[in-house]
């Protein structure tokens, strides 16, 4: 009888624990990761400040924060007191950052505050040392050059199925000279940054001038997917570093001094009053708390044992524990010095000459109106037009897309403009990926300047037309067009519609003169990678996922 009562009691406890311990959907998930941007302010000795900007989309009833974890060997220093969050209304929140485990931190809006809709953008940063963690190490290239490899990945994020982008910026110790205007050309022509082939395949890469003239490497990936491993492996000149001088304090995060930092409170710091996560409505379950704690203890013991078991096997599968030899380096620059791309269309030449996108569209619109393809309905504040006749197949593909963009509703949408821009970017890259940018630009400037110079100058004098590079391009574009019949004699301003073109520059691809990508050169690599990845992934992933998942990724909105 006593045994029966004991078993019933135990069963009741298990049911209570199950129902009380199983989170409701709202409790289980309060937000989706919208985007993540990571900055690494890397010093010459390998010390650094790492900053995260994480924007969450609120999907539950109330979002307070999330769990930050998965830094592996990177020792996380004290978080800055200036870490904060901002919601869509511009309200600024301080952060409470509680250490849950060695590499797990609970990041919450302070004083129990929460956001019920929209987005919340968290900004937090901490000092660390990449050299001590082994993510920055000296190495030697096959040609004998002394290099330093930066081989690291920011944390993976759970609840990120709809993540818009993941961006990593590495602020190198190298300071650019003041006369360096084209940072990308400077890096490529001097072979300063070498990458693994897969880095070029996975990311859009850019080189920028950061604060204090420092060279910034930017790696960007759109729609990375859930738990994306944003690993980057690049090789930099060893002269930029002094890895023997460990222990130097970080210099600061992109212009912000490392301020006084919060004392971490350790495991499970309770919150104050009714703001605590464990108060309010949850207090109704206090009678089951003892049972839950007991069950939680048993689960954690089991979890810890499985983690230990899984950890013993990690060394055989982790990429960063492989005993690798310096790989064969592949230059990110395939440019052939002096090679000229001569098969650009007139509009692609405008892109290559770096004429602003709005002005290209304005010029194209001006010509299509002159030729009777479009009729202007409204010029301000929004450019609206009616299609008078369908475009011929002989028109340039961008002109046909531009006319079709007006066909449905009489105006341009951001999506339609992005499609035109992205098609131009791909076309220019595919035609000019191995060409010399400066030589190609010089070729097209010379060709355009040499088109009817006497007639152009005479027409320009009559109409007080300025003989600038952009104006010369339009004169050449319109008058050399095989289908345009109305001759342009410098009598109007083709750029006047520029301000009414609804281009959101933040949504457009940049650095379209990008000759670093080797199109269709990685078919074999992709095929081998897919086959090997599938085999290895299937064998290893299943064994470790269950044990490591919750401890190796960030997320867990709450």
């Amino acid at each position: 009888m006593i045994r029966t009562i004991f078993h019933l009691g135990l069963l009741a406890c298990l049911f209570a624990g199950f129902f009380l311990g199983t989170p409701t959907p709202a409790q289980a998930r309060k937000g989706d990761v919208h985007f993540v941007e990571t900055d690494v302010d890397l010093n010459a000795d390998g010390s650094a400040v790492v900053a995260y900007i994480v924007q969450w989309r609120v999907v539950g009833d109330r979002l307070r924060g999330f769990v930050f974890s998965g830094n592996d060997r990177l020792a996380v220093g004290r978080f800055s007191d200036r870490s904060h969050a901002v919601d869509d209304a511009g309200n600024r929140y301080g952060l409470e950052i509680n250490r849950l485990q060695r590499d797990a931190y609970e990041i919450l809006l302070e004083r129990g505050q929460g956001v019920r809709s929209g987005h919340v953008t968290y900004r937090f940063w901490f000092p660390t040392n990449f050299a001590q963690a082994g993510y920055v190490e000296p190495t030697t290239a096959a040609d004998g050059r002394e290099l330093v490899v930066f081989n690291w990945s920011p944390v993976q994020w759970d609840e990120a199925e709809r993540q818009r982008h993941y961006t990593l910026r590495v602020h190198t110790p190298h300071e650019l000279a003041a006369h360096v205007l084209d940072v990308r050309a400077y890096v490529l022509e001097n072979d300063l940054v070498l990458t693994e082939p897969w880095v070029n395949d996975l990311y859009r890469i850019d080189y920028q001038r950061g604060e204090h003239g420092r060279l910034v490497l930017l790696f960007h990936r759109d729609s990375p997917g859930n738990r994306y491993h944003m690993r980057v492996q690049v090789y930099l000149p060893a002269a930029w570093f002094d890895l023997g001088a460990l222990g130097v304090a970080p210099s600061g995060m992109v212009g912000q001094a490392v301020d006084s930092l919060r004392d971490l409170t350790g495991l499970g710091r309770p919150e104050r009053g009714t703001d605590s996560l464990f108060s309010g409505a949850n207090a109704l379950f206090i009678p089951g708390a003892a049972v839950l704690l007991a069950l939680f203890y048993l689960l954690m013991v089991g979890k810890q044992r499985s983690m230990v078991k899984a950890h013993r096997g990690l060394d055989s599968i982790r990429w960063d524990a492989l005993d690798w030899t310096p790989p064969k380096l592949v230059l990110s620059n395939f440019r052939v010095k002096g090679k000229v791309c001569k098969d650009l269309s007139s509009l692609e030449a405008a892109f290559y000459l770096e004429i602003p996108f709005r002005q290209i569209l304005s010029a194209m619109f001006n010509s299509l109106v002159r030729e009777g393809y479009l009729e202007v309905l409204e010029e301000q504040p929004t450019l609206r037009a009616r299609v008078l006749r369908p475009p011929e197949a002989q028109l340039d593909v961008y002109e046909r897309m531009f006319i079709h963009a007006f066909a449905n509703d009489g105006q341009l949408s951001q999506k339609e403009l992005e499609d035109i821009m992205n098609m131009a970017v791909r076309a220019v890259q595919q035609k000019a990926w191995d060409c010399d940018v400066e030589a190609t630009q010089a070729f097209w400037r010379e060709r355009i300047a040499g088109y009817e110079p006497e007639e152009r100058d005479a027409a320009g004098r009559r109409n007080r037309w300025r003989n600038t590079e952009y104006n010369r391009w339009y004169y050449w574009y319109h008058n050399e067009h095989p289908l345009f019949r109305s001759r342009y004699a410098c009598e109007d301003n083709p750029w006047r519609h520029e301000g009414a073109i609804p281009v959101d520059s933040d949504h457009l691809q940049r650095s379209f003169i990008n000759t670093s990508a080797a199109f269709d050169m990685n078919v074999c690599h992709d095929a081998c990678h897919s086959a090997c990845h599938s085999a290895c992934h299937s064998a290893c992933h299943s064994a470790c996922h269950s044990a490591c998942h919750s401890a190796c990724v960030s997320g867990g909105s709450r």
Side-chain angles (χ1 to χ4, degrees), residues 499-510:
I501 302 291
V503 175
D504 183 351
S505 59
D506 292 335
H507 292 169
L508 297 177
Q509 296 185 21
R510 297 182 177 178

Side-chain angles (χ1 to χ4, degrees), residues 20 99 128 156 182 242 281 349 377-378 390 422-423 456 514:
L20 294 175
R99 186 174 185 175
T128 185
Q156 296 171 264
D182 188 342
D242 182 13
L377 299 178
E378 182 181 6
N422 292 334
M423 172 166 285
R456 183 187 61 212
N514 178 2

Side-chain angles (χ1 to χ4, degrees), residues 36 49 163 211 286 377 411 475 490 493:
V36 180
V49 172
Q163 183 174 338
E211 288 200 359
I286 290 177
L377 299 178
Q411 56 187 352
Y475 182 90
C490 308
N493 176 16

Side-chain angles (χ1 to χ4, degrees), residues 282-295:
N282 290 336
L284 297 175
F285 302 107
I286 290 177
V291 176
L292 282 175
L293 287 174
L295 290 175

Side-chain angles (χ1 to χ4, degrees), residues 236-304:
L236 308 172
W240 295 359
F241 294 88
D242 182 13
L243 297 183
L246 297 177
V248 178
S251 64
M253 176 59 215
V254 287
Q256 301 180 28
V258 177
D259 48 10
S260 58
L261 301 168
R262 172 187 299 276
D263 287 329
L264 301 176
T265 56
L267 179 65
R269 185 177 70 171
E271 300 179 3
R272 294 186 295 273
T274 56
D275 292 330
S276 170
L277 287 175
F278 304 100
S279 63
N282 290 336
L284 297 175
F285 302 107
I286 290 177
V291 176
L292 282 175
L293 287 174
L295 290 175
F296 178 72
Y297 173 77
L298 294 175
L299 289 173
M300 288 302 295
V301 169
K303 187 79 170 181
Q304 193 272 340

